[in-house]
Amino acid sequence: MAASLLFLVYFLLPLFSTATLRQQFINQLDSLPNNATPTPFFEVTKPIKLPKTIPCSHLILEHDFGFTYGKPPVLANYTHPLNCPSQKFSKIVLEWTATCKGRQFDRIFGVWLSGVEIFRSCTAEPTANGIIWSVKKDITRYSSLLMKNQTLAVYLGNIVDSTYTGVYHVKIFVHFYPAEEKLGEFDSGADLIIPISRNLPLNDGLWFEIENSTDVHSKDFKIPSNVYRAVLEVYVSFHENDESWYANPPNEYISSNNLTIPGSGAFRELLVSLDEMVVGAVWPFTVIYTGGANPLFWRPVSGIGSFDLPSYDIEITPLLGQILDGDTHKISFRVADALKVWYIDANLHLWLDRKSKKTEGKLLKYSCSPLSFLLLTNFTGLDGSFIMNASRSITLTGRVKSSYGTITTKSSQCLSYSNYMVMGHEGNLQVVDQIIEFNDTVSSSVHSLKSVKKFLFQWYSENVDQGNQSYASISNLTLGFDKRRVKVSKYGSSVSSVKNLQKAQGYMLVKGQLVVKGLGSTQQVYKYNEGSCCYSRNISSSNYTILYDKVRNSCGKSTRSHWPLRIGKRQSLPG
């Protein structure tokens, strides 16, 4: 289960039964809307750029996920498309399509090929009349894996009983698009992908489960002797007591008020180590699942990243000199200040030198600054404010000698974080304003890549007494990111940018721990630009209804929205 439905109730009503409120909330909302046909749910993102070739499409799994919680993953034999006219593909797309009807929580799930995770997502929450949703993901980077017969594993832990009646009816397709032109070495996928995940057989997913700040999970691995490039791709999601880590108050506030709510403050850092040496950090985007905050926000427009959770790349090519010795090495994960539970695994992408049996590497420089962290608290009773700031940088420089020559690669991560939290009205008000900047640079004589990211999260929720044992829960949310990516190699260069901003407003009227009624509205602006390839979408929804939807596929002047999106200074994403 992705976790709590009522983020605001969880934090602001410590004297009430969260389980009771959650149950009553579902009882009221699963009957909406009143239409007879399934409601399409979706996440707003850019369409995948496809070649003009005709794809070879394959249904790789069809399954009904009902009584699957805590059970082994569903397994299937995956076979690559031998019947396709061409075996050279420039684009490979995974398509997940599912329907559900009845009552059900949001559920996290993952898809693995021989232990390599290729897709992580959250289910949509169904209605009595049923919903349908589809997600398409570009999985071209896993090409070398997809061209071999594999074991497919899908874990979607679901519970079906007299209360939770929704069964997820799932189909997974893979679409192979034959290549139109030859691909460059650094534009193609890795030659080998090693899973850094748990091994089958097991119950639950193949991810590692981090339950506290001292919990460390590791996986041993070996690499071939002719690797010339290495990238670690990390998947991460947060659940249960840490699903809303970005709004967790400090432990000092919790203990002073004798509360039993999740704490450890609002900062989390996933650290990745190679043989006990920290080689990368992930400060994750604040994905809100379909049952998070006010669930009515996400009907039918889902939260950013909820249907296709992001993964994070760490370039470890400079470290090849440490692991090209033919011995077994270890990759480890831990999360600073973690509460139960974080799901983490990774894929080690390796490029092989086909003209050489052995490459050589050497680490020239390593720098990992200590975490700089500041916490300022000022509270009396249940009211007060908290300021949290953090920063860290990690730099790796190394050289690799291969048939391509001797190439020196430098990779660096620079991360900064700020969170300002206010608790007021005797704990009935919470305001959170958070920004994470997550910048990566990889440079060598062959290629360079610079990625600049800013993650924005703002939250306001308040409970207002309405008399007669009732109150109104009012909430507003701003969620977004701004990404810019510059890539240069001998095969060409590209500059791309994505700006994605989502705002949501809603309320629930609660009487006697029963949600009498509620409303959720969401507006979103998505803009993507890569040279002559542009895409934008302006959309607004309220209470299952699309109020406005404007899509543009050209780079012309923007069209004025039919609805207002007023962004204050702190909410502005950089141009």
Side-chain angles (χ1 to χ4, degrees):
M1 175 168 53
S4 140
L5 280 173
L6 279 179
F7 171 105
L8 58 98
V9 170
Y10 200 68
F11 285 104
L12 305 183
L13 299 178
L15 301 180
F16 287 172
S17 167
T18 306
T20 301
L21 278 170
R22 178 172 181 149
Q23 180 57 63
Q24 298 291 0
F25 186 76
I26 292 177
N27 287 341
Q28 294 300 301
L29 298 184
D30 63 6
S31 61
L32 295 172
N34 293 321
N35 58 306
T37 58
T39 303
F41 284 22
F42 57 94
E43 180 181 343
V44 173
T45 186
K46 69 179 178 69
I48 299 171
K49 186 179 179 181
L50 301 172
K52 297 178 182 179
T53 53
I54 299 174
C56 298
S57 299
H58 297 268
L59 175 63
I60 61 172
L61 181 73
E62 183 172 4
H63 190 80
D64 297 335
F65 289 86
F67 306 92
T68 54
Y69 189 80
K71 300 291 180 65
V74 174
L75 304 180
N77 291 324
Y78 168 84
T79 57
H80 67 290
L82 287 173
N83 60 339
C84 200
S86 172
Q87 292 297 298
K88 299 291 185 180
F89 304 105
S90 60
K91 193 70 67 175
I92 305 176
V93 176
L94 180 144
E95 180 180 1
W96 166 285
T97 299
T99 61
C100 191
K101 183 177 182 180
R103 179 187 301 140
Q104 197 53 262
F105 286 145
D106 49 352
R107 307 288 184 180
I108 198 73
F109 65 88
V111 178
W112 294 263
L113 275 178
S114 293
V116 173
E117 186 164 12
I118 62 174
F119 181 48
R120 188 177 299 190
S121 181
C122 171
T123 64
E125 291 196 334
T127 66
N129 292 311
I131 60 168
I132 182 171
W133 82 100
S134 179
V135 185
K136 291 184 178 180
K137 178 179 179 179
D138 185 347
I139 57 171
T140 311
R141 70 182 305 182
Y142 307 108
S143 294
S144 60
L145 191 70
L146 292 160
M147 296 309 295
K148 301 174 183 178
N149 294 341
Q150 308 280 342
T151 298
L152 176 77
V154 180
Y155 180 76
L156 194 169
N158 195 21
I159 295 174
V160 176
D161 54 25
S162 59
T163 302
Y164 309 111
T165 58
V167 174
Y168 291 104
H169 308 283
V170 173
K171 292 182 180 180
I172 303 177
F173 299 86
V174 177
H175 308 287
F176 296 84
Y177 291 83
E180 294 176 296
E181 56 188 21
K182 185 177 179 180
L183 302 174
E185 290 287 345
F186 280 89
D187 295 322
S188 60
D191 299 298
L192 176 66
I193 306 174
I194 297 176
I196 310 297
S197 61
R198 296 197 296 169
N199 298 324
L200 293 170
L202 48 67
N203 295 328
D204 210 288
L206 279 69
W207 41 55
F208 299 105
E209 299 185 11
I210 303 291
E211 298 192 354
N212 55 57
S213 59
T214 61
D215 202 3
V216 179
H217 286 273
S218 305
K219 181 73 175 284
D220 291 338
F221 70 96
K222 279 185 179 182
I223 69 169
S225 60
N226 62 336
V227 174
Y228 69 87
R229 187 184 178 203
V231 174
L232 188 70
E233 178 194 18
V234 181
Y235 279 88
V236 56
S237 58
F238 27 86
H239 309 280
E240 298 183 26
N241 289 338
D242 251 2
E243 178 178 336
S244 304
W245 55 268
Y246 35 81
N248 283 15
N251 289 335
E252 180 185 354
Y253 171 84
I254 293 172
S255 60
S256 295
N257 290 288
N258 295 316
L259 303 177
T260 57
I261 61 176
S264 291
F267 173 75
R268 299 292 184 270
E269 177 184 50
L270 164 60
L271 287 175
V272 181
S273 298
L274 173 64
D275 296 336
E276 313 302 330
M277 178 174 66
V278 173
V279 297
V282 176
W283 296 5
F285 178 73
T286 49
V287 176
I288 299 178
Y289 309 117
T290 54
N294 180 341
L296 286 175
F297 290 166
W298 320 124
R299 305 181 179 204
V301 179
S302 184
I304 296 172
S306 59
F307 281 172
D308 185 5
L309 271 73
S311 61
Y312 303 85
D313 286 352
I314 301 173
E315 182 88 26
I316 61 171
T317 301
L319 296 166
L320 283 176
Q322 309 290 103
I323 56 177
L324 274 170
D325 53 8
D327 292 337
T328 298
H329 296 271
K330 180 172 64 176
I331 288 178
S332 305
F333 309 103
R334 64 184 176 90
V335 178
D337 297 324
L339 300 180
K340 184 179 180 179
V341 61
W342 289 65
Y343 295 156
I344 298 168
D345 61 23
N347 306 319
L348 181 55
H349 296 249
L350 302 173
W351 284 257
L352 306 179
D353 186 354
R354 302 296 185 184
K355 298 178 181 180
S356 173
K357 293 183 178 180
K358 183 173 178 58
T359 56
E360 298 176 5
K362 183 177 181 180
L363 178 63
L364 301 176
K365 185 177 181 181
Y366 168 77
S367 172
C368 179
S369 67
L371 176 70
S372 173
F373 182 76
L374 172 68
L375 169 63
L376 300 176
T377 64
N378 180 19
F379 67 93
T380 302
L382 291 168
D383 295 346
S385 62
F386 316 99
I387 297 175
M388 285 152 279
N389 291 309
S391 63
R392 183 192 287 277
S393 64
I394 301 172
T395 302
L396 311 170
T397 304
R399 66 168 178 255
V400 176
K401 184 179 180 181
S402 69
S403 67
Y404 297 101
T406 300
I407 299 172
T408 300
T409 301
K410 178 181 179 181
S411 66
S412 64
Q413 289 186 311
C414 295
L415 306 102
S416 66
Y417 161 96
S418 67
N419 181 295
Y420 177 63
M421 185 184 303
V422 174
M423 304 293 288
H425 299 179
E426 293 295 315
N428 286 300
L429 168 72
Q430 184 182 40
V431 179
V432 180
D433 187 354
Q434 176 177 287
I435 291 178
I436 297 174
E437 293 185 86
F438 191 152
N439 304 330
D440 306 285
T441 302
V442 179
S443 60
S444 72
S445 58
V446 176
H447 78 297
S448 67
L449 175 65
K450 182 171 184 177
S451 176
V452 179
K453 298 176 283 288
K454 177 177 281 190
F455 303 153
L456 174 69
F457 172 80
Q458 294 177 329
W459 171 252
Y460 171 94
S461 63
E462 183 177 10
N463 295 326
V464 180
D465 186 11
Q466 301 293 297
N468 195 25
Q469 295 185 327
S470 66
Y471 65 91
S473 287
I474 304 165
S475 55
N476 293 288
L477 171 72
T478 299
L479 181 67
F481 64 77
D482 189 339
K483 299 180 182 180
R484 179 177 171 85
R485 178 183 170 100
V486 180
K487 184 176 182 181
V488 179
S489 75
K490 64 180 181 180
Y491 302 102
S493 63
S494 64
V495 179
S496 64
S497 65
V498 183
K499 297 182 180 182
N500 197 0
L501 186 67
Q502 200 168 48
K503 295 177 70 70
Q505 314 82 33
Y507 78 93
M508 292 174 292
L509 182 62
V510 182
K511 184 174 182 179
Q513 298 191 9
L514 179 70
V515 177
V516 178
K517 61 180 179 179
L519 176 68
S521 300
T522 301
Q523 307 87 44
Q524 187 167 356
V525 176
Y526 181 99
K527 294 182 179 180
Y528 172 81
N529 188 304
E530 185 176 4
S532 60
C533 179
C534 299
Y535 175 84
S536 66
R537 189 169 184 181
N538 237 343
I539 189 168
S540 176
S541 67
S542 182
N543 200 28
Y544 294 88
T545 302
I546 300 296
L547 303 179
Y548 179 85
D549 192 0
K550 180 70 173 178
V551 176
R552 180 182 289 275
N553 288 289
S554 63
C555 297
K557 294 181 179 179
S558 60
T559 302
R560 186 172 181 176
S561 171
H562 292 183
W563 47 269
L565 182 62
R566 297 184 177 89
I567 306 174
K569 187 174 181 180
R570 275 284 286 174
Q571 295 172 310
S572 298
L573 298 181

PDB file of all heavy atoms in Angstrom, residues 185 220 252 432 459 513:
ATOM      1  N   GLU A 185      27.577   5.500 -30.130  1.00  0.00           N
ATOM      2  CA  GLU A 185      27.965   4.678 -28.991  1.00  0.00           C
ATOM      3  C   GLU A 185      27.391   5.211 -27.681  1.00  0.00           C
ATOM      4  O   GLU A 185      26.894   4.463 -26.856  1.00  0.00           O
ATOM      5  CB  GLU A 185      29.496   4.613 -28.897  1.00  0.00           C
ATOM      6  CG  GLU A 185      30.157   3.820 -30.003  1.00  0.00           C
ATOM      7  CD  GLU A 185      29.956   2.329 -29.845  1.00  0.00           C
ATOM      8  OE1 GLU A 185      29.548   1.899 -28.754  1.00  0.00           O
ATOM      9  OE2 GLU A 185      30.201   1.595 -30.810  1.00  0.00           O
ATOM     10  N   ASP A 220      26.233  -7.724  -3.445  1.00  0.00           N
ATOM     11  CA  ASP A 220      27.533  -7.992  -4.043  1.00  0.00           C
ATOM     12  C   ASP A 220      27.393  -8.153  -5.554  1.00  0.00           C
ATOM     13  O   ASP A 220      26.361  -8.623  -6.055  1.00  0.00           O
ATOM     14  CB  ASP A 220      28.134  -9.267  -3.456  1.00  0.00           C
ATOM     15  CG  ASP A 220      28.533  -9.110  -1.993  1.00  0.00           C
ATOM     16  OD1 ASP A 220      28.736  -7.961  -1.561  1.00  0.00           O
ATOM     17  OD2 ASP A 220      28.614 -10.136  -1.296  1.00  0.00           O
ATOM     18  N   GLU A 252      11.845  16.820  18.567  1.00  0.00           N
ATOM     19  CA  GLU A 252      11.722  17.683  19.739  1.00  0.00           C
ATOM     20  C   GLU A 252      10.293  18.194  19.896  1.00  0.00           C
ATOM     21  O   GLU A 252       9.745  18.246  21.003  1.00  0.00           O
ATOM     22  CB  GLU A 252      12.697  18.862  19.600  1.00  0.00           C
ATOM     23  CG  GLU A 252      12.667  19.837  20.768  1.00  0.00           C
ATOM     24  CD  GLU A 252      13.557  21.043  20.526  1.00  0.00           C
ATOM     25  OE1 GLU A 252      14.274  21.062  19.501  1.00  0.00           O
ATOM     26  OE2 GLU A 252      13.529  21.971  21.358  1.00  0.00           O
ATOM     27  N   VAL A 432       3.947  24.184   4.792  1.00  0.00           N
ATOM     28  CA  VAL A 432       5.272  23.696   4.431  1.00  0.00           C
ATOM     29  C   VAL A 432       5.694  24.348   3.117  1.00  0.00           C
ATOM     30  O   VAL A 432       4.909  24.398   2.168  1.00  0.00           O
ATOM     31  CB  VAL A 432       5.300  22.161   4.272  1.00  0.00           C
ATOM     32  CG1 VAL A 432       6.708  21.683   3.899  1.00  0.00           C
ATOM     33  CG2 VAL A 432       4.834  21.465   5.540  1.00  0.00           C
ATOM     34  N   TRP A 459       2.686  23.286   0.836  1.00  0.00           N
ATOM     35  CA  TRP A 459       1.506  22.645   1.404  1.00  0.00           C
ATOM     36  C   TRP A 459       0.872  23.554   2.460  1.00  0.00           C
ATOM     37  O   TRP A 459       1.567  24.132   3.292  1.00  0.00           O
ATOM     38  CB  TRP A 459       1.908  21.318   2.039  1.00  0.00           C
ATOM     39  CG  TRP A 459       0.858  20.636   2.850  1.00  0.00           C
ATOM     40  CD1 TRP A 459       0.813  20.499   4.206  1.00  0.00           C
ATOM     41  CD2 TRP A 459      -0.307  19.964   2.354  1.00  0.00           C
ATOM     42  NE1 TRP A 459      -0.288  19.791   4.580  1.00  0.00           N
ATOM     43  CE2 TRP A 459      -1.000  19.449   3.462  1.00  0.00           C
ATOM     44  CE3 TRP A 459      -0.832  19.761   1.072  1.00  0.00           C
ATOM     45  CZ2 TRP A 459      -2.196  18.743   3.336  1.00  0.00           C
ATOM     46  CZ3 TRP A 459      -2.011  19.051   0.947  1.00  0.00           C
ATOM     47  CH2 TRP A 459      -2.677  18.546   2.066  1.00  0.00           C
ATOM     48  N   GLN A 513     -16.348  12.106  12.868  1.00  0.00           N
ATOM     49  CA  GLN A 513     -15.371  11.230  12.211  1.00  0.00           C
ATOM     50  C   GLN A 513     -15.915  10.615  10.930  1.00  0.00           C
ATOM     51  O   GLN A 513     -15.433   9.582  10.461  1.00  0.00           O
ATOM     52  CB  GLN A 513     -14.891  10.135  13.166  1.00  0.00           C
ATOM     53  CG  GLN A 513     -14.170  10.682  14.394  1.00  0.00           C
ATOM     54  CD  GLN A 513     -13.466   9.608  15.183  1.00  0.00           C
ATOM     55  OE1 GLN A 513     -13.359   8.474  14.757  1.00  0.00           O
ATOM     56  NE2 GLN A 513     -12.975   9.965  16.360  1.00  0.00           N
TER      57      GLN A 513
END
